[in-house]
């Protein structure tokens, strides 16, 4: 058996959300910036993305992060989030996975009690502060990219739920934020399939009713996810973001940033305020407003997201021209009824 061409991955999860990290063997991705590289994957050559995010090498409930050399001098490493629909500019849970993998594997030197890691992403520079002890990352705090609300209480017509209201906000990618009670559901494990189906149906409807375009980031011009949210008795926000066919297992860092931006736009959050985001399985992120800025004339908040990831294994994938499924496949029994929406 020929193992001359392989990909090496670290298996990592953040609060149960799998975010594997490709640490070696990947081809060079053309582009002068990380955004250029992401757009190349999405518009020119998506073979690597499909290879690592589709069956038979992957499952619906996971992401894969591509480590690349940074394109800017002030960064320690660069990464691009690869998912089954496309490559994305940023993800909080995946970023926490990447920082943990870099430090616990020694690819970035670890300093105790805190290590600062600067990451080059397609959404911009993300600064992470990792609390470290005995060679482990106990928590990672991300100073995420500026986040802003695009629209508040936007009314959307739906065949199933009538007229509902959504907030549209950017937290690293664009989100449609939906108060879940409008659908007659709550965010609970028993409702995961119903939520996933509702989310992908809403995402499809929104594509014809709501348009977005980031004022600075070329190619960031779609609502990437629907995020349902519900208020908890202790003040936390229960969230779940929807990708084709499944729900996020983590509280979602970019989604929490987008929600923070919507609260900031409403005047319900000020600099220094903190909110807890809780996932469908009970994992928690802390979202903090650490500053204010502007993006393309839009009032924006600077979010800090804190959570923890765990390295649970290693993986080696063999690259072979004889493999009949190098482009992968996805079936609706696990990926959901709208599997055709996958890229």
């Amino acid at each position: 058996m020929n193992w001359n061409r392989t990909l090496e991955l670290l298996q990592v999860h953040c609060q149960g959300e799998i975010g594997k990290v490709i640490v070696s063997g990947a081809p060079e991705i053309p582009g002068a910036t990380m955004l250029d590289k992401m757009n190349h994957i999405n518009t020119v050559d998506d073979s690597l993305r499909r290879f690592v995010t589709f069956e038979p090498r992957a499952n619906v409930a996971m992401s894969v992060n591509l480590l690349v050399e940074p394109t800017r001098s002030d960064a320690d490493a660069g990464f691009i989030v690869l998912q089954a629909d496309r490559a994305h500019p940023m993800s909080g849970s995946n970023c926490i996975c990447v920082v943990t993998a870099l430090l616990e594997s020694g690819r970035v030197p670890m300093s105790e009690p805190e290590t600062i890691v600067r990451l080059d992403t397609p959404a911009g520079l993300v600064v992470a502060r990792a609390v470290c002890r005995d060679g482990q990352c106990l928590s990672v705090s991300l100073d995420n990219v500026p986040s802003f609300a695009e629209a508040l209480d936007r009314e959307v017509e739906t065949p199933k739920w009538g007229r509902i209201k959504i907030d549209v906000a950017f937290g690293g990618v664009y989100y449609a934020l939906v108060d879940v009670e409008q659908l007659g559901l709550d965010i609970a494990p028993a409702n995961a399939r119903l939520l996933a189906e509702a989310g992908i149906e809403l995402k499809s409807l929104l594509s014809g009713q709501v348009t977005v375009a980031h004022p600075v980031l070329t190619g960031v011009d779609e609502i990437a996810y629907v995020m349902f949210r519900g208020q908890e008795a202790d003040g936390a926000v229960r969230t779940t973001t929807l990708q084709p066919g499944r729900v996020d297992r983590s509280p979602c860092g970019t989604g929490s940033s987008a929600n923070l931006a919507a609260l900031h736009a409403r005047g319900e959050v000020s600099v220094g305020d903190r909110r807890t985001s809780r996932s469908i399985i009970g994992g928690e992120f802390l979202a903090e407003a650490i500053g204010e800025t502007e993006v393309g004339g839009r009032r924006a908040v600077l979010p800090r997201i804190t959570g923890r990831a765990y390295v649970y294994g290693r993986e080696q994938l063999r690259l072979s021209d004889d493999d009949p499924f190098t482009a992968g496949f996805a079936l609706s029994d696990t990926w959901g009824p709208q599997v055709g929406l996958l890229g």
Side-chain angles (χ1 to χ4, degrees), residues 214-227:
H214 195 281
V216 177
L217 302 176
T218 303
V220 182
D221 55 5
E222 72 160 10
I223 293 176
Y225 307 115
V226 172
M227 185 172 89

Side-chain angles (χ1 to χ4, degrees), residues 52-246:
V52 297
T53 63
F54 279 88
E55 296 180 64
R57 285 160 293 275
N59 63 73
V60 64
M62 58 174 284
S63 302
V64 178
N65 298 287
L66 173 62
L67 281 186
V68 295
E69 289 295 320
T71 62
R72 48 192 298 166
S73 60
D74 56 350
D76 300 300
F79 83 100
I80 300 169
V81 182
L82 306 180
Q83 295 182 340
D85 58 338
R86 61 187 290 145
H88 289 277
M90 176 56 187
S91 161
S93 65
N94 281 289
C95 194
I96 293 171
C97 287
V98 167
V99 170
T100 301
L102 286 169
L103 291 175
E104 293 194 3
S105 69
R107 286 169 172 81
V108 170
M110 179 185 290
S111 299
E112 300 183 11
E114 182 183 82
T115 307
I116 296 176
V117 182
R118 294 173 175 84
L119 293 170
D120 186 7
T121 82
L125 184 71
V126 174
V127 178
R129 292 170 173 83
V131 175
C132 304
R133 187 173 66 238
D134 299 329
Q136 282 190 301
C137 288
L138 302 184
S139 71
V140 177
S141 295
L142 308 174
D143 289 357
N144 197 12
V145 297
S147 302
F148 55 87
E150 189 83 26
L152 299 175
D153 294 324
R154 172 72 181 267
E155 292 189 343
V156 175
E157 293 290 346
T158 73
K160 186 176 294 185
W161 306 285
R163 182 176 295 178
I164 65 171
K165 291 183 178 181
I166 67 169
D167 295 337
V168 180
F170 178 84
V173 295
Y174 275 106
Y175 283 85
L177 307 171
V178 182
D179 294 326
V180 72
E181 63 267 18
Q182 296 181 96
L183 278 63
L185 295 170
D186 60 358
I187 299 171
N191 290 334
R193 170 48 55 190
L194 293 174
L195 289 166
E197 292 176 356
I200 55 180
E201 184 172 342
L202 276 174
K203 186 176 185 297
S204 180
L205 290 169
L206 291 173
S207 66
Q209 299 187 49
V210 181
T211 58
V212 295
H214 195 281
V216 177
L217 302 176
T218 303
V220 182
D221 55 5
E222 72 160 10
I223 293 176
Y225 307 115
V226 172
M227 185 172 89
F228 293 129
R229 60 190 178 186
Q231 195 67 39
E232 300 274 271
D234 63 357
V237 177
R238 178 83 67 167
T239 66
T240 188
T241 55
L242 284 302
Q243 303 171 44
R246 60 90 158 214

Side-chain angles (χ1 to χ4, degrees), residues 298-320:
R298 294 164 172 81
R299 184 167 171 250
V301 66
L302 298 173
R304 176 173 291 164
I305 304 297
T306 301
R308 187 177 185 184
Y310 301 83
V311 179
Y312 64 91
R314 298 175 181 269
E315 185 174 357
Q316 185 180 56
L317 297 180
R318 180 185 176 216
L319 297 163
S320 172

